[in-house]
Amino acid sequence: MKQHTNLLVLMGLILLGAISRSPTVSLGPLMPDIQATLALDYGWSGFIVTLPVIIIALSSIPVSKLVGRKGTGKPILFGLTLYGIALCIRSSFGIYGIFIGSALVGLGICFINVLAPTLIKEYFPSRVGPMTGTYTTMMYLFAAISSATAVTVAHKVDSWQIALAMWLPLVLVCLIIWGVQFKKSHPFI
């Protein structure tokens, strides 16, 4: 494997870790602003925060079977595309958008959760431990950053919607990196 390819895959792996929790953990700190805007009670607010986790649990087995049949290329590109669309929906379409978008965010995260270990084994077979550690470190580091900055960003720009969608650029960059990588290794993806 070429050094350039290793760097591109490493960047893609780091970005997968960065986005795999950030959009979900930012939801909780923003919930008071969301409740005020959408007139949600505590029950519905709790459901919105829990919805991605429920979707991840329900879809993990079907997604893993899909990955078993389709390989890693198409599923990761589909999952990242879905994830980006979900972030837009969740931030843009009011009360219906936040429910639908949160469910789709969970499905996008499911694709990342299922595929990250497979991608690590595929591209770094002799360094599974260190690469898994890198991925996990990025996941928790960016989750902490997201949780710590969400309210500040929302109040700075006066929009919880922008604070929820602020991870979209990283999702798009991640999609481009993996798209380039899979196009090189599988030209017909």
Side-chain angles (χ1 to χ4, degrees), residues 96-120:
Y96 298 110
I98 199 145
F99 281 99
I100 294 167
S102 292
L104 293 176
V105 162
L107 188 55
I109 289 172
C110 183
F111 275 89
I112 293 170
N113 285 350
V114 168
L115 286 161
T118 304
L119 292 168
I120 289 169

Side-chain angles (χ1 to χ4, degrees):
M1 197 177 321
K2 297 179 186 173
Q3 189 66 19
H4 178 70
T5 301
N6 279 343
L7 182 59
L8 190 65
V9 171
L10 179 60
M11 287 173 36
L13 182 66
I14 287 170
L15 285 174
L16 279 179
I19 64 172
S20 68
R21 297 294 182 272
S22 305
T24 54
V25 299
S26 63
L27 193 58
L30 292 170
M31 196 48 71
D33 293 340
I34 295 168
Q35 283 178 303
T37 305
L38 300 178
L40 291 171
D41 64 22
Y42 290 110
W44 285 114
S45 299
F47 181 68
I48 290 170
V49 172
T50 309
L51 188 56
V53 178
I54 293 168
I55 298 298
I56 291 167
L58 293 175
S59 59
S60 292
I61 292 174
V63 168
S64 65
K65 287 182 180 183
L66 175 73
V67 170
R69 286 194 310 262
K70 298 287 185 183
T72 54
K74 287 180 182 178
I76 194 67
L77 297 178
F78 174 78
L80 288 169
T81 302
L82 178 68
Y83 200 37
I85 292 168
L87 292 178
C88 293
I89 290 170
R90 186 173 73 162
S91 300
S92 302
F93 297 102
I95 196 159
Y96 298 110
I98 199 145
F99 281 99
I100 294 167
S102 292
L104 293 176
V105 162
L107 188 55
I109 289 172
C110 183
F111 275 89
I112 293 170
N113 285 350
V114 168
L115 286 161
T118 304
L119 292 168
I120 289 169
K121 288 177 189 171
E122 184 177 330
Y123 287 98
F124 302 100
S126 63
R127 295 178 297 188
V128 171
M131 291 299 110
T132 301
T134 300
Y135 171 79
T136 305
T137 300
M138 292 299 108
M139 181 172 61
Y140 289 115
L141 174 65
F142 278 86
I145 291 168
S146 175
S147 182
T149 61
V151 173
T152 304
V153 170
H155 291 171
K156 194 79 145 172
V157 297
D158 197 29
S159 170
W160 58 264
Q161 292 92 339
I162 291 173
L164 276 182
M166 73 179 179
W167 297 100
L168 183 59
L170 281 182
V171 173
L172 296 176
V173 171
C174 190
L175 180 61
I176 291 167
I177 287 173
W178 285 108
V180 167
Q181 180 58 36
F182 285 114
K183 187 165 177 81
K184 284 194 302 187
S185 59
H186 307 284
F188 297 106
I189 280 190

